[in-house]
Amino acid sequence: MLRDKLSFLGDQDIELLLRSSQRRHVVRGETIVREGQSPEAIFLVQEGFISVRAGGVTVGYFGPGQILGEISFLERRSASATVVAEGDAVLNRIDNADLEALLSAHPDLAARFYRSLAVSLSRRVRALSGSLTKLRGQRSHKARYGQLSARHVPSSLVDGLTGVLREVQRVEESLAARRMASDAAARVVASSCDRVVALLEEHTTEKALLAISVDDLLTFRDISRLREGVGSFVFRICFALLMSSATIARLYDKPGGVAEDDETRRAIADADAEGDGLIGPLVDRWFLDRAVCRARRDSRKAMVAEIVRRATEHAGPGSFLVTSIGSGGGDELLDAMDEAGEGVLAATCIDPDPDALRRGNHLASEAGHASSMTFLCAEPLSLSGSGSEIFLGPQHMVYALCFFDYLSDDDAVALLDWIWGHLAPSGTAVWTALGPDLTDLPMMEHLLEWAVVPRDAPAIRALVSRSRFGRAVEVQPLESSSLHLVTCTRESAP
């Protein structure tokens, strides 16, 4: 296996390296290298798994055949992370001084060794680059110009949007002059924002778009492009109003690379309205009460209840093992631990955002749950790839709050297969899904550039049937048919 990682080394090269090493047995939790200290050696992993941790967050794993400490060896610098044994493991330690002497005595070996390190590090960078490309795919904004002007759209749309902006301006003036109470202003602003969404929906129907295309047959032939043009027109006219909301502005800007990063999810969960000026907080309050935000809060509430229910019904030895996928720092896990009681749950949070995981680690420490939680920084879309290597024992439950809403069918199936392979027999994958009848979908698409893949119950069952779960799936509506709780059960042994 070592030759797979150090691909230019031959059998004799490996034998020379092992002769210069000292075999070392380590136990679970033993620190091999401490952040900030000079390791003074490289390590070849023979058996077991080793985790790399920075700031309490696991940022990678090393398994059999892998080498660690090579960056410190190359740079002659102290370790940038702490290395800990995830279980009993066997390592071969080669002191830096012995390695340098060996490479000096065998120039051909040295050339092959350094080339192997370069290729190994290049593969890591390539894998990270691929993950970041997928992760940041939503960051760029689509062009909003060169589509429709006021002369192309119905006068009813232009007049309606103009009336909305005038009404909001009157509210702002009344608030500034203290002629209107905040609750009354909130109702007017909410009604005005509802009017924007209603106008958008009304003028992006097939009938309305066909009417526009008939008026100018030489210009408009593609209905989908025409729908996008109408949405962009509404977006341009109402941009300042919408972006006065702190939550809407963050969703649109995507500072974390995706619409729902950890901070945005927390803003929606907390529902504390914020924004610019006198109107911004009122627009924010309106948005946080929209169906999609209520669905996100319902998702979290339902997942906490599901985790607690399954954990308290767990009859096996030890804690109930649960892993979150793409759910940030695992706030819902802390709620579940508080409700279920000490020691009932042992949780792992897998997310690509190290800041979210560090925040989760801090909150877990404050709540006294740090010993029951592991935070692993990894891009979920790369977990199902052939090069993904993480240490995760058989889990009783793996869940995702909203992550599947952003996955294509192929990516969703690949992730479900990965989850299936990391579940104990009778373990479950649980995730929430937005339905295609969600009333906020036009607003999300045209005004917020918040792209999701809504699925109804038949589509969810068809999707899961393509995975290793097969037909072992239950789709339960939550609150309304626009939100589903999906439970997939691993019925067969590996």
Side-chain angles (χ1 to χ4, degrees):
M1 284 186 290
L2 190 57
R3 284 192 61 184
D4 295 336
K5 305 301 179 182
L6 300 175
S7 53
F8 291 95
L9 298 187
D11 292 338
Q12 292 182 342
D13 298 329
I14 300 295
E15 182 64 26
L16 285 172
L17 286 173
L18 294 179
R19 285 180 188 174
S20 300
S21 70
Q22 300 172 346
R23 196 170 179 86
R24 177 178 172 185
H25 293 262
V26 294
V27 298
R28 176 180 175 84
E30 182 174 344
T31 299
I32 301 164
V33 176
R34 195 173 299 279
E35 183 176 355
Q37 296 181 354
S38 176
E40 299 180 352
I42 66 169
F43 298 87
L44 311 177
V45 183
Q46 298 292 346
E47 300 175 15
F49 280 88
I50 309 298
S51 67
V52 182
R53 304 177 185 178
V57 175
T58 299
V59 295
Y61 285 98
F62 290 87
Q66 290 189 296
I67 182 172
L68 60 94
E70 75 278 26
I71 296 179
S72 294
F73 171 74
L74 293 171
E75 295 183 336
R76 301 297 193 271
R77 296 177 62 179
S78 58
S80 59
T82 296
V83 179
V84 179
E86 284 295 316
D88 293 348
V90 178
L91 311 172
N92 283 91
R93 172 191 168 114
I94 308 177
D95 290 338
N96 289 346
D98 293 336
L99 181 57
E100 290 174 350
L102 177 65
L103 297 179
S104 296
H106 299 273
D108 291 345
L109 168 61
R112 292 189 291 271
F113 179 78
Y114 285 119
R115 187 178 181 186
S116 296
L117 290 187
V119 170
S120 177
L121 294 173
S122 175
R123 287 171 179 166
R124 287 193 211 172
V125 172
R126 193 185 303 275
L128 176 61
S129 177
S131 297
L132 289 177
T133 298
K134 287 186 175 182
L135 176 63
R136 306 296 175 187
Q138 296 190 46
R139 184 62 185 270
S140 59
H141 297 299
K142 62 184 179 182
R144 294 284 193 168
Y145 52 86
Q147 294 176 319
L148 298 183
S149 63
R151 70 182 180 86
H152 292 126
V153 300
S155 59
S156 57
L157 176 58
V158 177
D159 294 343
L161 294 176
T162 301
V164 165
L165 297 182
R166 287 175 178 168
E167 184 66 30
V168 172
Q169 183 178 2
R170 284 195 290 269
V171 171
E172 186 173 23
E173 292 171 351
S174 297
L175 285 172
R178 301 180 184 276
R179 296 194 302 267
M180 180 179 284
S182 59
D183 287 347
R187 288 192 293 271
V188 176
V189 169
S191 177
S192 298
C193 291
D194 283 340
R195 179 63 177 153
V196 171
V197 175
L199 286 166
L200 171 67
E201 294 174 349
E202 176 186 345
H203 290 87
T204 53
T205 62
E206 294 289 335
K207 181 179 179 180
L209 296 173
L210 285 172
I212 296 175
S213 66
V214 168
D215 288 341
D216 196 339
L217 292 173
L218 296 178
T219 304
F220 306 117
R221 297 180 181 179
D222 188 330
I223 292 296
S224 62
R225 293 289 299 275
L226 188 54
R227 178 180 287 108
E228 183 178 332
V230 172
S232 294
F233 177 80
V234 177
F235 170 86
R236 293 195 303 271
I237 297 300
C238 300
F239 182 82
L241 172 65
L242 295 170
M243 295 305 147
S244 66
S245 155
T247 310
I248 290 178
R250 186 174 181 88
L251 280 163
Y252 175 75
D253 190 49
K254 304 173 183 62
V258 292
E260 288 184 270
D261 64 348
D262 184 64
E263 186 170 334
T264 305
R265 284 193 296 263
R266 286 190 289 121
I268 292 174
D270 295 341
D272 291 330
E274 297 181 359
D276 295 333
L278 298 173
I279 295 297
L282 304 183
V283 177
D284 206 43
R285 185 192 302 182
W286 163 79
F287 175 71
L288 290 169
D289 195 41
R290 294 293 302 187
V292 63
C293 293
R294 295 197 305 271
R296 288 311 191 214
R297 291 191 289 271
D298 289 342
S299 296
R300 175 173 167 173
K301 180 180 178 181
M303 195 63 72
V304 171
E306 189 72 6
I307 294 169
V308 172
R309 182 182 70 82
R310 292 184 178 275
T312 53
E313 292 176 355
H314 175 59
S319 300
F320 182 78
L321 305 181
V322 57
T323 291
S324 69
I325 301 288
S327 299
D331 291 2
E332 62 285 342
L333 282 169
L334 294 176
D335 292 343
M337 286 181 175
D338 288 339
E339 191 171 335
E342 185 67 29
V344 175
L345 293 169
T348 300
C349 296
I350 302 177
D351 195 85
D353 185 350
D355 291 332
L357 296 174
R358 280 191 286 268
R359 183 187 66 83
N361 183 51
H362 175 71
L363 292 177
S365 297
E366 286 190 335
H369 298 311
S371 62
S372 300
M373 297 189 72
T374 299
F375 298 89
L376 171 58
C377 188
E379 165 52 44
L381 288 181
S382 70
L383 292 177
S384 56
S386 59
S388 64
E389 296 186 46
I390 73 168
F391 179 82
L392 188 66
Q395 300 292 292
H396 300 115
M397 176 178 174
V398 177
Y399 75 89
L401 276 177
C402 59
F403 191 70
F404 278 85
D405 290 331
Y406 297 96
L407 300 185
S408 67
D409 285 358
D410 288 344
D411 284 339
V413 169
L415 184 56
L416 285 172
D417 285 344
W418 181 90
I419 293 173
W420 187 94
H422 288 79
L423 285 174
S426 301
T428 55
V430 184
W431 42 288
T432 57
L434 293 174
D437 59 342
L438 179 69
T439 57
D440 285 338
L441 287 176
M443 176 187 70
M444 294 165 67
E445 177 185 357
H446 297 292
L447 304 185
L448 306 182
E449 294 185 4
W450 185 357
V452 294
V453 183
R455 297 180 175 96
D456 59 14
I460 293 170
R461 293 190 183 95
L463 173 70
V464 176
S465 69
R466 294 174 50 195
S467 75
R468 300 173 76 179
F469 287 100
R471 299 183 180 276
V473 57
E474 177 185 355
V475 184
Q476 175 187 355
L478 291 178
E479 300 297 325
S480 70
S481 58
S482 62
L483 179 64
H484 301 91
L485 183 71
V486 185
T487 303
C488 308
T489 304
R490 175 170 175 164
E491 293 184 332
S492 60

